Amino acid sequence: MSARYEELKALKNLGQKYAYTDREVMLYAYGIGLGADPMDEKELAFVNEGTLTPRPLKVVPTFASVAAWGSGPGEMNLNRVMVVDGERDITFHQPLPVVAHITADSSVLEVYDKGKDKGVVISHQTVLKNEKGEKLATLVASRFARGDGGFGGPNLTQPDPHRIPSRSPDKTIDITTRPDQALVYRLCGDRNPLHSDPEFAKKAGFPRPILHGMCTYGITCRGVLQTYADYDASAFRQHVARFSSPVYPGETVTMDLWKDGNVISFEAKVKSRGVTVIKNGKTVLG
C-alpha cells in the first residue's frame, strides 16, 4: 500500500470546538437566497426573528455544512487551486438549534486514486454533536483533487450514486442567484478565492469567479423546503447531492424534482448554458 494512501486514511481530528449564534444562522439563510422577497413570511422566518410579533427563528437544515466551518480530519497537502467539491451527504439526527456550542469529530473514510492526470477523490466524515454529546448531524463530503492523483492508491470503486427516476419531473422550479451571491456566501466561512478573485479564478481555469458548490447545495435544500417540505426544517432527515458543473453568480438554477413517498429526488441545471450543475440529488423527509 502506498505511503500517501496510508497517510490520508489515518487523518482524524476529534473534539473540535465551535459555537454559533442566530447571526450565523441568518447569514447562511440569506447567503443561499432566502429572504429575497422581504414580504414573504415563510422565508422571513429563516432570516428575521420578528419584533412586534416574535416568532422562533428557523434554521435551514444545510446550515450544518457551515456550523463548524474549518473542521476536518487534518491537513491533506493538496494542490488547492485544483480542488473542488465532489459530493455532500448530510444526515440530520435532530433539528439544529438557533444558538449552540458544538463539537466536531472528523475522519477520512476512503481515498479513491483515479490515476495520474485524473485526480483523487477523498471521502471524509464530520459528526456534529451538542454539549450533551448527542449527534446533531453527520456530514460526508467528497473532495475531488484534480492535481493529486497517481500516487499508487488501491483500485477502489466509488459507491453508486442515487438513481433519478426515469419519468418526467413532478415539479420544476427556477431559483435566481444574485451577481454578488458568492461574495455574501463566503462570509459563512469559505474564503476560497476561486469564488471572489477574478485573477485566481482564471488561474484555476474559469473565466470568472464561480458560486460555491456548497451554496448551490444549499439552494437545492431551499428548493425542497419551498416545495415538498412546506418550509418545515425539522422534516429533513438527509440531503445528498453531487456537483457536476459550477454555477456563475447571477445565473438561474432550474431544479427538477420527483417525489416517491418520503424520498425527493432532484437535479439542477443552468438552462442558459445547457449544463447540469447538480446530479443524483436525494432528500429524505420524515
Side-chain angles (χ1 to χ4, degrees):
M1 200 67 67
S2 83
R4 178 64 169 143
Y5 174 79
E6 296 290 355
E7 173 193 348
L8 289 168
K9 276 296 295 285
L11 290 175
K12 183 177 294 188
N13 196 355
L14 306 180
Q16 302 161 87
K17 296 185 182 299
Y18 293 88
Y20 64 83
T21 68
D22 62 350
R23 181 183 184 278
E24 288 76 29
V25 166
M26 289 186 281
L27 178 61
Y28 176 80
Y30 180 66
I32 64 170
L34 286 167
D37 179 354
M39 298 300 290
D40 186 331
E41 292 288 340
K42 289 187 175 181
E43 293 200 0
L44 278 175
F46 292 89
V47 294
N48 182 278
E49 65 276 19
T51 303
L52 294 178
T53 304
R55 59 165 175 261
L57 187 68
K58 292 184 178 182
V59 183
V60 178
T62 51
F63 172 72
S65 63
V66 299
W69 177 255
S71 63
E75 178 54 56
M76 297 182 183
N77 296 311
L78 303 171
N79 181 348
R80 185 183 179 194
V81 175
M82 301 294 284
V83 175
V84 295
D85 265 317
E87 182 175 358
R88 200 63 96 252
D89 179 348
I90 302 181
T91 297
F92 307 99
H93 304 293
Q94 55 180 293
L96 294 172
V98 175
V99 177
H101 286 82
I102 59 176
T103 59
D105 295 337
S106 302
S107 59
V108 170
L109 296 175
E110 195 51 86
V111 179
Y112 304 93
D113 184 1
K114 294 179 173 294
K116 188 173 176 58
D117 300 324
K118 294 182 180 179
V120 59
V121 176
I122 303 166
S123 176
H124 54 96
Q125 172 181 278
T126 297
V127 179
L128 304 182
K129 299 177 181 178
N130 63 19
E131 290 184 283
K132 297 179 181 179
E134 301 167 334
K135 289 183 180 180
L136 293 170
T138 298
L139 294 70
V140 176
S142 70
R143 190 176 303 188
F144 181 32
R146 296 173 290 165
D148 290 275
F151 53 78
N155 185 17
L156 301 173
T157 301
Q158 291 178 255
D160 290 334
H162 173 65
R163 189 183 297 274
I164 297 296
S166 58
R167 69 181 187 273
S168 297
D170 298 322
K171 285 183 184 291
T172 297
I173 60 172
D174 289 331
I175 298 177
T176 301
T177 66
R178 300 186 307 274
D180 66 344
Q181 192 145 347
L183 298 179
V184 174
Y185 185 83
R186 72 191 298 262
L187 301 180
C188 296
D190 190 346
R191 298 291 188 93
N192 186 338
L194 177 62
H195 310 293
S196 60
D197 187 327
E199 183 181 9
F200 189 95
K202 287 180 180 178
K203 185 177 180 181
F206 299 99
R208 56 193 174 99
I210 62 175
L211 193 62
H212 303 70
M214 289 308 296
C215 183
T216 305
Y217 178 77
I219 287 170
T220 62
C221 176
R222 173 187 165 194
V224 177
L225 265 175
Q226 72 184 60
T227 53
Y228 292 112
D230 193 27
Y231 290 96
D232 180 4
S234 68
F236 281 66
R237 298 293 177 265
Q238 185 183 24
H239 191 70
V240 186
R242 302 184 85 189
F243 308 107
S244 54
S245 190
V247 173
Y248 290 97
E251 292 184 322
T252 295
V253 176
T254 299
M255 277 187 75
D256 291 331
L257 303 103
W258 295 260
K259 186 177 187 302
D260 295 285
N262 66 336
V263 175
I264 311 301
S265 302
F266 60 87
E267 287 193 337
K269 303 178 178 67
V270 173
K271 287 184 175 180
S272 61
R273 288 189 289 119
V275 296
T276 298
V277 296
I278 294 289
K279 291 183 176 180
N280 308 108
K282 179 180 75 171
T283 301
V284 179
L285 301 175

